[in-house]
Amino acid sequence: MSLFHRLRTYAVTATVATVVAGSVAAVAMHTTDERAAIRPAACSAPLVLGAQRQIVACLDDLTTAGTVASGHTVPADWAGLHPAGARNPVGVPGMQIDGYFPDESTTNTHHGWNHDSQFVIRLPENWNGGLVVAGTPGNRRQYANDFTISDWVLAKGYAYAATDKGNTGSDFYRDGATPGDALVEWNNRVTQLTVAAQAVVAQRYGGPAKHTYMAGISNGGYLVRWQLENAPWLYDGGVDWEGSLWQADGPNPLTFLPSALRAYPADRDAVHAAGFPAESEPLWEYHNKVYWELTQRIYRQEFDPGYAGSDAEYDYAARPAAVHDAMRRVSLTGRIQRPLLTIHGTLDTLLPIGLDSDVYAGLIRDQGNGALHRYYRIEGGNHTDSLYDSHPDLLRPLLPCFRGAFTALESWTAAGQPPPPDATLPRPVSGDLANTCVLRN
């Protein structure tokens, strides 16, 4: 066992000892009804370190095939993130813990709690010794990765944990006292959940996880990047699925979305110049209606609430230093310290690949960390896989490529087998694109 793993094992074991030693006192602080919710007699769960509330259910099936019917997921959270033809495993029995950490904001209404920093932890009966942690894409809630990530890793035997990141919805930016606070909380909540989930796993299975991985889509991919840069001791590696790139000096979404908003629909060449490939033109109308304006507005309000002009005319570079400083609080640097695999579609029409993952891969190389990174550019991949159903001759789902990348990460970290080299993967002209992807060109 490496020094890193010995230290992490010691830390988790010490944490579990503290939790167990304090559990009687912690439970005593709750009312009788709350104690019943924390430790129901028929299905006793480990205590979640730091949680203000938790409830537990032992289920015949932790995958969405079972949790939709039992009410232990919310399909609206994961709507639109996968192609209709995607096949998922079913029939994974185990325990689900839902709850929340102390927080003052109330954007998450799930369970009638009206309380942010909600989480879900799933513990399969047939555990493989690992843990996968995820943060949500966009401003979605804790079940957002249930179909795309949770189902598949649970079937492989992993414990799974996800957080709502501490604030949700299109008004997420109202959380916090100063610009940037809401995104700072995202990173803190992922770290908090990872520590708590590692302790839960050690309690439930009698020992710490042998491997802890992070995975996420879009803003969830950003969280993977940030954690591997800033809290690498918690993880063995991660898969970044088109993570958003926040950096104070640009590019970032506030530098390219205004250009697209100004140009569309009158100036096709200007939209292309803003970073969106000409081949993605059939997707522009949809993204203009659904994503571009909303994304620009709510993140501009997070970092620059004092701006009073049109978001289409917004000029990030000309804004006061305080705006750049707010974004610097959550900026990425490329200083990853654990293995990272990145996948990104060449037709991403929200976070264009040339202004996001291409740039981030360069940052990693500039930091001298290229040996820890693999980057797969997926021809025909868009930001959301559901649009494949309406554009099957143009697009390619990224879900199977994520699964291929995760499998490669497992082999890399557990068996020392390096993943395939960086590549731009051509779009297959035939086959089951919703369920197959090979990480070699």
Side-chain angles (χ1 to χ4, degrees), residues 61-65 67 88-90 92 122 145-156 160 403:
D61 189 0
L62 293 171
T63 73
T64 52
T67 54
N88 264 15
V90 301
V92 180
R122 298 190 175 107
N145 299 299
D146 280 7
F147 190 96
T148 51
I149 299 175
S150 179
D151 283 2
W152 190 72
V153 299
L154 286 168
K156 290 171 70 68
Y160 171 81
R403 292 174 175 175

mmCIF file with all atom_site columns, all heavy atoms in Angstrom, residues 61-65 67 88-90 92 122 145-156 160 403:
data_model
loop_
_atom_site.group_PDB
_atom_site.id
_atom_site.type_symbol
_atom_site.label_atom_id
_atom_site.label_alt_id
_atom_site.label_comp_id
_atom_site.label_asym_id
_atom_site.label_entity_id
_atom_site.label_seq_id
_atom_site.pdbx_PDB_ins_code
_atom_site.Cartn_x
_atom_site.Cartn_y
_atom_site.Cartn_z
_atom_site.occupancy
_atom_site.B_iso_or_equiv
_atom_site.pdbx_formal_charge
_atom_site.auth_seq_id
_atom_site.auth_comp_id
_atom_site.auth_asym_id
_atom_site.auth_atom_id
_atom_site.pdbx_PDB_model_num
ATOM 1   N N   . ASP A 1 61  ? -33.764 -2.459 -5.487  1.00 0.00 ? 61  ASP A N   1
ATOM 2   C CA  . ASP A 1 61  ? -33.053 -1.976 -6.676  1.00 0.00 ? 61  ASP A CA  1
ATOM 3   C C   . ASP A 1 61  ? -32.709 -0.510 -6.505  1.00 0.00 ? 61  ASP A C   1
ATOM 4   O O   . ASP A 1 61  ? -33.588 0.348  -6.451  1.00 0.00 ? 61  ASP A O   1
ATOM 5   C CB  . ASP A 1 61  ? -33.910 -2.176 -7.929  1.00 0.00 ? 61  ASP A CB  1
ATOM 6   C CG  . ASP A 1 61  ? -33.153 -1.902 -9.214  1.00 0.00 ? 61  ASP A CG  1
ATOM 7   O OD1 . ASP A 1 61  ? -31.957 -1.553 -9.146  1.00 0.00 ? 61  ASP A OD1 1
ATOM 8   O OD2 . ASP A 1 61  ? -33.743 -2.053 -10.303 1.00 0.00 ? 61  ASP A OD2 1
ATOM 9   N N   . LEU A 1 62  ? -31.403 -0.226 -6.416  1.00 0.00 ? 62  LEU A N   1
ATOM 10  C CA  . LEU A 1 62  ? -30.918 1.150  -6.271  1.00 0.00 ? 62  LEU A CA  1
ATOM 11  C C   . LEU A 1 62  ? -30.831 1.887  -7.597  1.00 0.00 ? 62  LEU A C   1
ATOM 12  O O   . LEU A 1 62  ? -30.584 3.099  -7.607  1.00 0.00 ? 62  LEU A O   1
ATOM 13  C CB  . LEU A 1 62  ? -29.538 1.143  -5.611  1.00 0.00 ? 62  LEU A CB  1
ATOM 14  C CG  . LEU A 1 62  ? -29.457 0.679  -4.158  1.00 0.00 ? 62  LEU A CG  1
ATOM 15  C CD1 . LEU A 1 62  ? -27.993 0.516  -3.742  1.00 0.00 ? 62  LEU A CD1 1
ATOM 16  C CD2 . LEU A 1 62  ? -30.168 1.646  -3.231  1.00 0.00 ? 62  LEU A CD2 1
ATOM 17  N N   . THR A 1 63  ? -30.971 1.184  -8.726  1.00 0.00 ? 63  THR A N   1
ATOM 18  C CA  . THR A 1 63  ? -30.891 1.855  -10.022 1.00 0.00 ? 63  THR A CA  1
ATOM 19  C C   . THR A 1 63  ? -32.212 2.559  -10.317 1.00 0.00 ? 63  THR A C   1
ATOM 20  O O   . THR A 1 63  ? -33.234 2.316  -9.663  1.00 0.00 ? 63  THR A O   1
ATOM 21  C CB  . THR A 1 63  ? -30.577 0.874  -11.156 1.00 0.00 ? 63  THR A CB  1
ATOM 22  O OG1 . THR A 1 63  ? -31.739 0.069  -11.439 1.00 0.00 ? 63  THR A OG1 1
ATOM 23  C CG2 . THR A 1 63  ? -29.403 -0.031 -10.796 1.00 0.00 ? 63  THR A CG2 1
ATOM 24  N N   . THR A 1 64  ? -32.200 3.409  -11.332 1.00 0.00 ? 64  THR A N   1
ATOM 25  C CA  . THR A 1 64  ? -33.407 4.174  -11.648 1.00 0.00 ? 64  THR A CA  1
ATOM 26  C C   . THR A 1 64  ? -34.571 3.282  -12.058 1.00 0.00 ? 64  THR A C   1
ATOM 27  O O   . THR A 1 64  ? -35.726 3.691  -11.922 1.00 0.00 ? 64  THR A O   1
ATOM 28  C CB  . THR A 1 64  ? -33.120 5.197  -12.763 1.00 0.00 ? 64  THR A CB  1
ATOM 29  O OG1 . THR A 1 64  ? -32.516 4.543  -13.878 1.00 0.00 ? 64  THR A OG1 1
ATOM 30  C CG2 . THR A 1 64  ? -32.194 6.294  -12.264 1.00 0.00 ? 64  THR A CG2 1
ATOM 31  N N   . ALA A 1 65  ? -34.286 2.065  -12.523 1.00 0.00 ? 65  ALA A N   1
ATOM 32  C CA  . ALA A 1 65  ? -35.371 1.136  -12.837 1.00 0.00 ? 65  ALA A CA  1
ATOM 33  C C   . ALA A 1 65  ? -36.212 0.849  -11.604 1.00 0.00 ? 65  ALA A C   1
ATOM 34  O O   . ALA A 1 65  ? -37.419 0.603  -11.708 1.00 0.00 ? 65  ALA A O   1
ATOM 35  C CB  . ALA A 1 65  ? -34.796 -0.169 -13.391 1.00 0.00 ? 65  ALA A CB  1
ATOM 36  N N   . THR A 1 67  ? -35.775 2.911  -8.456  1.00 0.00 ? 67  THR A N   1
ATOM 37  C CA  . THR A 1 67  ? -35.989 4.102  -7.626  1.00 0.00 ? 67  THR A CA  1
ATOM 38  C C   . THR A 1 67  ? -37.050 5.038  -8.183  1.00 0.00 ? 67  THR A C   1
ATOM 39  O O   . THR A 1 67  ? -37.634 5.811  -7.428  1.00 0.00 ? 67  THR A O   1
ATOM 40  C CB  . THR A 1 67  ? -34.673 4.867  -7.411  1.00 0.00 ? 67  THR A CB  1
ATOM 41  O OG1 . THR A 1 67  ? -34.080 5.167  -8.683  1.00 0.00 ? 67  THR A OG1 1
ATOM 42  C CG2 . THR A 1 67  ? -33.703 4.039  -6.581  1.00 0.00 ? 67  THR A CG2 1
ATOM 43  N N   . ASN A 1 88  ? -29.210 0.699  -19.528 1.00 0.00 ? 88  ASN A N   1
ATOM 44  C CA  . ASN A 1 88  ? -28.632 0.754  -18.194 1.00 0.00 ? 88  ASN A CA  1
ATOM 45  C C   . ASN A 1 88  ? -28.852 -0.556 -17.459 1.00 0.00 ? 88  ASN A C   1
ATOM 46  O O   . ASN A 1 88  ? -29.849 -1.250 -17.693 1.00 0.00 ? 88  ASN A O   1
ATOM 47  C CB  . ASN A 1 88  ? -29.257 1.892  -17.384 1.00 0.00 ? 88  ASN A CB  1
ATOM 48  C CG  . ASN A 1 88  ? -28.423 3.153  -17.429 1.00 0.00 ? 88  ASN A CG  1
ATOM 49  O OD1 . ASN A 1 88  ? -27.528 3.273  -18.266 1.00 0.00 ? 88  ASN A OD1 1
ATOM 50  N ND2 . ASN A 1 88  ? -28.700 4.097  -16.554 1.00 0.00 ? 88  ASN A ND2 1
ATOM 51  N N   . PRO A 1 89  ? -27.961 -0.899 -16.531 1.00 0.00 ? 89  PRO A N   1
ATOM 52  C CA  . PRO A 1 89  ? -28.162 -2.091 -15.714 1.00 0.00 ? 89  PRO A CA  1
ATOM 53  C C   . PRO A 1 89  ? -29.317 -1.895 -14.746 1.00 0.00 ? 89  PRO A C   1
ATOM 54  O O   . PRO A 1 89  ? -29.731 -0.764 -14.455 1.00 0.00 ? 89  PRO A O   1
ATOM 55  C CB  . PRO A 1 89  ? -26.826 -2.232 -14.971 1.00 0.00 ? 89  PRO A CB  1
ATOM 56  C CG  . PRO A 1 89  ? -26.283 -0.842 -14.923 1.00 0.00 ? 89  PRO A CG  1
ATOM 57  C CD  . PRO A 1 89  ? -26.710 -0.192 -16.200 1.00 0.00 ? 89  PRO A CD  1
ATOM 58  N N   . VAL A 1 90  ? -29.843 -2.986 -14.225 1.00 0.00 ? 90  VAL A N   1
ATOM 59  C CA  . VAL A 1 90  ? -30.944 -2.954 -13.263 1.00 0.00 ? 90  VAL A CA  1
ATOM 60  C C   . VAL A 1 90  ? -30.666 -3.993 -12.185 1.00 0.00 ? 90  VAL A C   1
ATOM 61  O O   . VAL A 1 90  ? -29.772 -4.830 -12.305 1.00 0.00 ? 90  VAL A O   1
ATOM 62  C CB  . VAL A 1 90  ? -32.302 -3.253 -13.942 1.00 0.00 ? 90  VAL A CB  1
ATOM 63  C CG1 . VAL A 1 90  ? -32.599 -2.238 -15.038 1.00 0.00 ? 90  VAL A CG1 1
ATOM 64  C CG2 . VAL A 1 90  ? -32.319 -4.666 -14.521 1.00 0.00 ? 90  VAL A CG2 1
ATOM 65  N N   . VAL A 1 92  ? -29.943 -3.788 -8.570  1.00 0.00 ? 92  VAL A N   1
ATOM 66  C CA  . VAL A 1 92  ? -28.828 -3.661 -7.623  1.00 0.00 ? 92  VAL A CA  1
ATOM 67  C C   . VAL A 1 92  ? -29.412 -3.404 -6.233  1.00 0.00 ? 92  VAL A C   1
ATOM 68  O O   . VAL A 1 92  ? -29.778 -2.270 -5.910  1.00 0.00 ? 92  VAL A O   1
ATOM 69  C CB  . VAL A 1 92  ? -27.877 -2.527 -8.020  1.00 0.00 ? 92  VAL A CB  1
ATOM 70  C CG1 . VAL A 1 92  ? -26.726 -2.421 -7.029  1.00 0.00 ? 92  VAL A CG1 1
ATOM 71  C CG2 . VAL A 1 92  ? -27.345 -2.727 -9.439  1.00 0.00 ? 92  VAL A CG2 1
ATOM 72  N N   . ARG A 1 122 ? -25.598 5.890  -1.828  1.00 0.00 ? 122 ARG A N   1
ATOM 73  C CA  . ARG A 1 122 ? -26.122 4.550  -2.115  1.00 0.00 ? 122 ARG A CA  1
ATOM 74  C C   . ARG A 1 122 ? -25.040 3.510  -1.838  1.00 0.00 ? 122 ARG A C   1
ATOM 75  O O   . ARG A 1 122 ? -23.892 3.672  -2.275  1.00 0.00 ? 122 ARG A O   1
ATOM 76  C CB  . ARG A 1 122 ? -26.612 4.468  -3.565  1.00 0.00 ? 122 ARG A CB  1
ATOM 77  C CG  . ARG A 1 122 ? -27.764 5.432  -3.856  1.00 0.00 ? 122 ARG A CG  1
ATOM 78  C CD  . ARG A 1 122 ? -28.408 5.183  -5.209  1.00 0.00 ? 122 ARG A CD  1
ATOM 79  N NE  . ARG A 1 122 ? -29.569 6.052  -5.379  1.00 0.00 ? 122 ARG A NE  1
ATOM 80  C CZ  . ARG A 1 122 ? -29.616 7.117  -6.174  1.00 0.00 ? 122 ARG A CZ  1
ATOM 81  N NH1 . ARG A 1 122 ? -28.559 7.433  -6.912  1.00 0.00 ? 122 ARG A NH1 1
ATOM 82  N NH2 . ARG A 1 122 ? -30.708 7.854  -6.269  1.00 0.00 ? 122 ARG A NH2 1
ATOM 83  N N   . ASN A 1 145 ? -27.356 12.837 -11.629 1.00 0.00 ? 145 ASN A N   1
ATOM 84  C CA  . ASN A 1 145 ? -26.469 11.856 -12.264 1.00 0.00 ? 145 ASN A CA  1
ATOM 85  C C   . ASN A 1 145 ? -26.972 10.418 -12.123 1.00 0.00 ? 145 ASN A C   1
ATOM 86  O O   . ASN A 1 145 ? -26.229 9.470  -12.403 1.00 0.00 ? 145 ASN A O   1
ATOM 87  C CB  . ASN A 1 145 ? -25.073 11.943 -11.642 1.00 0.00 ? 145 ASN A CB  1
ATOM 88  C CG  . ASN A 1 145 ? -24.434 13.296 -11.837 1.00 0.00 ? 145 ASN A CG  1
ATOM 89  O OD1 . ASN A 1 145 ? -24.213 13.744 -12.948 1.00 0.00 ? 145 ASN A OD1 1
ATOM 90  N ND2 . ASN A 1 145 ? -24.118 13.963 -10.727 1.00 0.00 ? 145 ASN A ND2 1
ATOM 91  N N   . ASP A 1 146 ? -28.220 10.247 -11.697 1.00 0.00 ? 146 ASP A N   1
ATOM 92  C CA  . ASP A 1 146 ? -28.691 8.899  -11.383 1.00 0.00 ? 146 ASP A CA  1
ATOM 93  C C   . ASP A 1 146 ? -28.676 7.970  -12.586 1.00 0.00 ? 146 ASP A C   1
ATOM 94  O O   . ASP A 1 146 ? -28.288 6.801  -12.471 1.00 0.00 ? 146 ASP A O   1
ATOM 95  C CB  . ASP A 1 146 ? -30.099 8.953  -10.778 1.00 0.00 ? 146 ASP A CB  1
ATOM 96  C CG  . ASP A 1 146 ? -30.066 9.323  -9.308  1.00 0.00 ? 146 ASP A CG  1
ATOM 97  O OD1 . ASP A 1 146 ? -28.986 9.663  -8.798  1.00 0.00 ? 146 ASP A OD1 1
ATOM 98  O OD2 . ASP A 1 146 ? -31.135 9.275  -8.661  1.00 0.00 ? 146 ASP A OD2 1
ATOM 99  N N   . PHE A 1 147 ? -29.126 8.449  -13.732 1.00 0.00 ? 147 PHE A N   1
ATOM 100 C CA  . PHE A 1 147 ? -29.128 7.590  -14.920 1.00 0.00 ? 147 PHE A CA  1
ATOM 101 C C   . PHE A 1 147 ? -27.747 7.505  -15.551 1.00 0.00 ? 147 PHE A C   1
ATOM 102 O O   . PHE A 1 147 ? -27.302 6.427  -15.953 1.00 0.00 ? 147 PHE A O   1
ATOM 103 C CB  . PHE A 1 147 ? -30.147 8.101  -15.941 1.00 0.00 ? 147 PHE A CB  1
ATOM 104 C CG  . PHE A 1 147 ? -30.372 7.138  -17.090 1.00 0.00 ? 147 PHE A CG  1
ATOM 105 C CD1 . PHE A 1 147 ? -31.437 6.254  -17.066 1.00 0.00 ? 147 PHE A CD1 1
ATOM 106 C CD2 . PHE A 1 147 ? -29.521 7.120  -18.189 1.00 0.00 ? 147 PHE A CD2 1
ATOM 107 C CE1 . PHE A 1 147 ? -31.645 5.354  -18.115 1.00 0.00 ? 147 PHE A CE1 1
ATOM 108 C CE2 . PHE A 1 147 ? -29.713 6.238  -19.235 1.00 0.00 ? 147 PHE A CE2 1
ATOM 109 C CZ  . PHE A 1 147 ? -30.778 5.343  -19.198 1.00 0.00 ? 147 PHE A CZ  1
ATOM 110 N N   . THR A 1 148 ? -27.055 8.626  -15.648 1.00 0.00 ? 148 THR A N   1
ATOM 111 C CA  . THR A 1 148 ? -25.797 8.657  -16.399 1.00 0.00 ? 148 THR A CA  1
ATOM 112 C C   . THR A 1 148 ? -24.613 8.074  -15.645 1.00 0.00 ? 148 THR A C   1
ATOM 113 O O   . THR A 1 148 ? -23.699 7.517  -16.253 1.00 0.00 ? 148 THR A O   1
ATOM 114 C CB  . THR A 1 148 ? -25.458 10.103 -16.804 1.00 0.00 ? 148 THR A CB  1
ATOM 115 O OG1 . THR A 1 148 ? -25.525 10.940 -15.643 1.00 0.00 ? 148 THR A OG1 1
ATOM 116 C CG2 . THR A 1 148 ? -26.419 10.618 -17.868 1.00 0.00 ? 148 THR A CG2 1
ATOM 117 N N   . ILE A 1 149 ? -24.592 8.203  -14.320 1.00 0.00 ? 149 ILE A N   1
ATOM 118 C CA  . ILE A 1 149 ? -23.438 7.744  -13.544 1.00 0.00 ? 149 ILE A CA  1
ATOM 119 C C   . ILE A 1 149 ? -23.828 6.701  -12.500 1.00 0.00 ? 149 ILE A C   1
ATOM 120 O O   . ILE A 1 149 ? -23.267 5.611  -12.448 1.00 0.00 ? 149 ILE A O   1
ATOM 121 C CB  . ILE A 1 149 ? -22.708 8.921  -12.877 1.00 0.00 ? 149 ILE A CB  1
ATOM 122 C CG1 . ILE A 1 149 ? -22.184 9.903  -13.937 1.00 0.00 ? 149 ILE A CG1 1
ATOM 123 C CG2 . ILE A 1 149 ? -21.557 8.422  -12.005 1.00 0.00 ? 149 ILE A CG2 1
ATOM 124 C CD1 . ILE A 1 149 ? -21.537 11.163 -13.366 1.00 0.00 ? 149 ILE A CD1 1
ATOM 125 N N   . SER A 1 150 ? -24.803 7.015  -11.653 1.00 0.00 ? 150 SER A N   1
ATOM 126 C CA  . SER A 1 150 ? -25.109 6.165  -10.506 1.00 0.00 ? 150 SER A CA  1
ATOM 127 C C   . SER A 1 150 ? -25.473 4.743  -10.907 1.00 0.00 ? 150 SER A C   1
ATOM 128 O O   . SER A 1 150 ? -24.916 3.778  -10.366 1.00 0.00 ? 150 SER A O   1
ATOM 129 C CB  . SER A 1 150 ? -26.245 6.787  -9.688  1.00 0.00 ? 150 SER A CB  1
ATOM 130 O OG  . SER A 1 150 ? -26.585 5.973  -8.590  1.00 0.00 ? 150 SER A OG  1
ATOM 131 N N   . ASP A 1 151 ? -26.421 4.572  -11.830 1.00 0.00 ? 151 ASP A N   1
ATOM 132 C CA  . ASP A 1 151 ? -26.860 3.225  -12.210 1.00 0.00 ? 151 ASP A CA  1
ATOM 133 C C   . ASP A 1 151 ? -25.684 2.333  -12.577 1.00 0.00 ? 151 ASP A C   1
ATOM 134 O O   . ASP A 1 151 ? -25.578 1.185  -12.137 1.00 0.00 ? 151 ASP A O   1
ATOM 135 C CB  . ASP A 1 151 ? -27.808 3.302  -13.411 1.00 0.00 ? 151 ASP A CB  1
ATOM 136 C CG  . ASP A 1 151 ? -29.207 3.757  -13.050 1.00 0.00 ? 151 ASP A CG  1
ATOM 137 O OD1 . ASP A 1 151 ? -29.457 4.053  -11.858 1.00 0.00 ? 151 ASP A OD1 1
ATOM 138 O OD2 . ASP A 1 151 ? -30.052 3.835  -13.958 1.00 0.00 ? 151 ASP A OD2 1
ATOM 139 N N   . TRP A 1 152 ? -24.816 2.870  -13.414 1.00 0.00 ? 152 TRP A N   1
ATOM 140 C CA  . TRP A 1 152 ? -23.743 2.060  -13.989 1.00 0.00 ? 152 TRP A CA  1
ATOM 141 C C   . TRP A 1 152 ? -22.684 1.711  -12.955 1.00 0.00 ? 152 TRP A C   1
ATOM 142 O O   . TRP A 1 152 ? -22.230 0.567  -12.877 1.00 0.00 ? 152 TRP A O   1
ATOM 143 C CB  . TRP A 1 152 ? -23.134 2.806  -15.182 1.00 0.00 ? 152 TRP A CB  1
ATOM 144 C CG  . TRP A 1 152 ? -22.199 2.006  -16.006 1.00 0.00 ? 152 TRP A CG  1
ATOM 145 C CD1 . TRP A 1 152 ? -22.508 0.979  -16.856 1.00 0.00 ? 152 TRP A CD1 1
ATOM 146 C CD2 . TRP A 1 152 ? -20.780 2.177  -16.072 1.00 0.00 ? 152 TRP A CD2 1
ATOM 147 N NE1 . TRP A 1 152 ? -21.364 0.499  -17.456 1.00 0.00 ? 152 TRP A NE1 1
ATOM 148 C CE2 . TRP A 1 152 ? -20.293 1.220  -16.995 1.00 0.00 ? 152 TRP A CE2 1
ATOM 149 C CE3 . TRP A 1 152 ? -19.883 3.046  -15.464 1.00 0.00 ? 152 TRP A CE3 1
ATOM 150 C CZ2 . TRP A 1 152 ? -18.938 1.104  -17.307 1.00 0.00 ? 152 TRP A CZ2 1
ATOM 151 C CZ3 . TRP A 1 152 ? -18.543 2.937  -15.767 1.00 0.00 ? 152 TRP A CZ3 1
ATOM 152 C CH2 . TRP A 1 152 ? -18.081 1.978  -16.686 1.00 0.00 ? 152 TRP A CH2 1
ATOM 153 N N   . VAL A 1 153 ? -22.288 2.676  -12.128 1.00 0.00 ? 153 VAL A N   1
ATOM 154 C CA  . VAL A 1 153 ? -21.231 2.376  -11.146 1.00 0.00 ? 153 VAL A CA  1
ATOM 155 C C   . VAL A 1 153 ? -21.770 1.500  -10.026 1.00 0.00 ? 153 VAL A C   1
ATOM 156 O O   . VAL A 1 153 ? -21.035 0.666  -9.481  1.00 0.00 ? 153 VAL A O   1
ATOM 157 C CB  . VAL A 1 153 ? -20.570 3.659  -10.596 1.00 0.00 ? 153 VAL A CB  1
ATOM 158 C CG1 . VAL A 1 153 ? -19.920 4.454  -11.732 1.00 0.00 ? 153 VAL A CG1 1
ATOM 159 C CG2 . VAL A 1 153 ? -21.537 4.522  -9.801  1.00 0.00 ? 153 VAL A CG2 1
ATOM 160 N N   . LEU A 1 154 ? -23.038 1.656  -9.660  1.00 0.00 ? 154 LEU A N   1
ATOM 161 C CA  . LEU A 1 154 ? -23.625 0.767  -8.662  1.00 0.00 ? 154 LEU A CA  1
ATOM 162 C C   . LEU A 1 154 ? -23.612 -0.675 -9.141  1.00 0.00 ? 154 LEU A C   1
ATOM 163 O O   . LEU A 1 154 ? -23.308 -1.595 -8.375  1.00 0.00 ? 154 LEU A O   1
ATOM 164 C CB  . LEU A 1 154 ? -25.058 1.192  -8.341  1.00 0.00 ? 154 LEU A CB  1
ATOM 165 C CG  . LEU A 1 154 ? -25.234 2.441  -7.478  1.00 0.00 ? 154 LEU A CG  1
ATOM 166 C CD1 . LEU A 1 154 ? -26.682 2.892  -7.503  1.00 0.00 ? 154 LEU A CD1 1
ATOM 167 C CD2 . LEU A 1 154 ? -24.780 2.178  -6.048  1.00 0.00 ? 154 LEU A CD2 1
ATOM 168 N N   . ALA A 1 155 ? -23.936 -0.882 -10.415 1.00 0.00 ? 155 ALA A N   1
ATOM 169 C CA  . ALA A 1 155 ? -23.938 -2.238 -10.968 1.00 0.00 ? 155 ALA A CA  1
ATOM 170 C C   . ALA A 1 155 ? -22.543 -2.845 -10.984 1.00 0.00 ? 155 ALA A C   1
ATOM 171 O O   . ALA A 1 155 ? -22.396 -4.075 -10.945 1.00 0.00 ? 155 ALA A O   1
ATOM 172 C CB  . ALA A 1 155 ? -24.534 -2.237 -12.375 1.00 0.00 ? 155 ALA A CB  1
ATOM 173 N N   . LYS A 1 156 ? -21.525 -1.995 -11.031 1.00 0.00 ? 156 LYS A N   1
ATOM 174 C CA  . LYS A 1 156 ? -20.143 -2.485 -10.956 1.00 0.00 ? 156 LYS A CA  1
ATOM 175 C C   . LYS A 1 156 ? -19.717 -2.761 -9.513  1.00 0.00 ? 156 LYS A C   1
ATOM 176 O O   . LYS A 1 156 ? -18.619 -3.286 -9.288  1.00 0.00 ? 156 LYS A O   1
ATOM 177 C CB  . LYS A 1 156 ? -19.193 -1.456 -11.588 1.00 0.00 ? 156 LYS A CB  1
ATOM 178 C CG  . LYS A 1 156 ? -19.334 -1.338 -13.094 1.00 0.00 ? 156 LYS A CG  1
ATOM 179 C CD  . LYS A 1 156 ? -18.546 -0.151 -13.658 1.00 0.00 ? 156 LYS A CD  1
ATOM 180 C CE  . LYS A 1 156 ? -17.047 -0.364 -13.599 1.00 0.00 ? 156 LYS A CE  1
ATOM 181 N NZ  . LYS A 1 156 ? -16.571 -1.410 -14.504 1.00 0.00 ? 156 LYS A NZ  1
ATOM 182 N N   . TYR A 1 160 ? -21.886 4.962  -4.008  1.00 0.00 ? 160 TYR A N   1
ATOM 183 C CA  . TYR A 1 160 ? -22.073 6.186  -4.798  1.00 0.00 ? 160 TYR A CA  1
ATOM 184 C C   . TYR A 1 160 ? -22.600 7.291  -3.902  1.00 0.00 ? 160 TYR A C   1
ATOM 185 O O   . TYR A 1 160 ? -23.465 7.063  -3.037  1.00 0.00 ? 160 TYR A O   1
ATOM 186 C CB  . TYR A 1 160 ? -23.066 5.929  -5.933  1.00 0.00 ? 160 TYR A CB  1
ATOM 187 C CG  . TYR A 1 160 ? -23.493 7.169  -6.687  1.00 0.00 ? 160 TYR A CG  1
ATOM 188 C CD1 . TYR A 1 160 ? -22.687 7.707  -7.686  1.00 0.00 ? 160 TYR A CD1 1
ATOM 189 C CD2 . TYR A 1 160 ? -24.698 7.806  -6.391  1.00 0.00 ? 160 TYR A CD2 1
ATOM 190 C CE1 . TYR A 1 160 ? -23.074 8.857  -8.369  1.00 0.00 ? 160 TYR A CE1 1
ATOM 191 C CE2 . TYR A 1 160 ? -25.088 8.946  -7.073  1.00 0.00 ? 160 TYR A CE2 1
ATOM 192 C CZ  . TYR A 1 160 ? -24.269 9.464  -8.062  1.00 0.00 ? 160 TYR A CZ  1
ATOM 193 O OH  . TYR A 1 160 ? -24.650 10.603 -8.739  1.00 0.00 ? 160 TYR A OH  1
ATOM 194 N N   . ARG A 1 403 ? -18.320 5.930  -20.034 1.00 0.00 ? 403 ARG A N   1
ATOM 195 C CA  . ARG A 1 403 ? -18.148 4.607  -19.444 1.00 0.00 ? 403 ARG A CA  1
ATOM 196 C C   . ARG A 1 403 ? -16.808 3.998  -19.863 1.00 0.00 ? 403 ARG A C   1
ATOM 197 O O   . ARG A 1 403 ? -16.121 3.367  -19.044 1.00 0.00 ? 403 ARG A O   1
ATOM 198 C CB  . ARG A 1 403 ? -19.309 3.708  -19.848 1.00 0.00 ? 403 ARG A CB  1
ATOM 199 C CG  . ARG A 1 403 ? -20.625 4.160  -19.225 1.00 0.00 ? 403 ARG A CG  1
ATOM 200 C CD  . ARG A 1 403 ? -21.821 3.370  -19.729 1.00 0.00 ? 403 ARG A CD  1
ATOM 201 N NE  . ARG A 1 403 ? -23.036 3.778  -19.010 1.00 0.00 ? 403 ARG A NE  1
ATOM 202 C CZ  . ARG A 1 403 ? -24.262 3.343  -19.282 1.00 0.00 ? 403 ARG A CZ  1
ATOM 203 N NH1 . ARG A 1 403 ? -24.427 2.463  -20.269 1.00 0.00 ? 403 ARG A NH1 1
ATOM 204 N NH2 . ARG A 1 403 ? -25.298 3.753  -18.579 1.00 0.00 ? 403 ARG A NH2 1
#
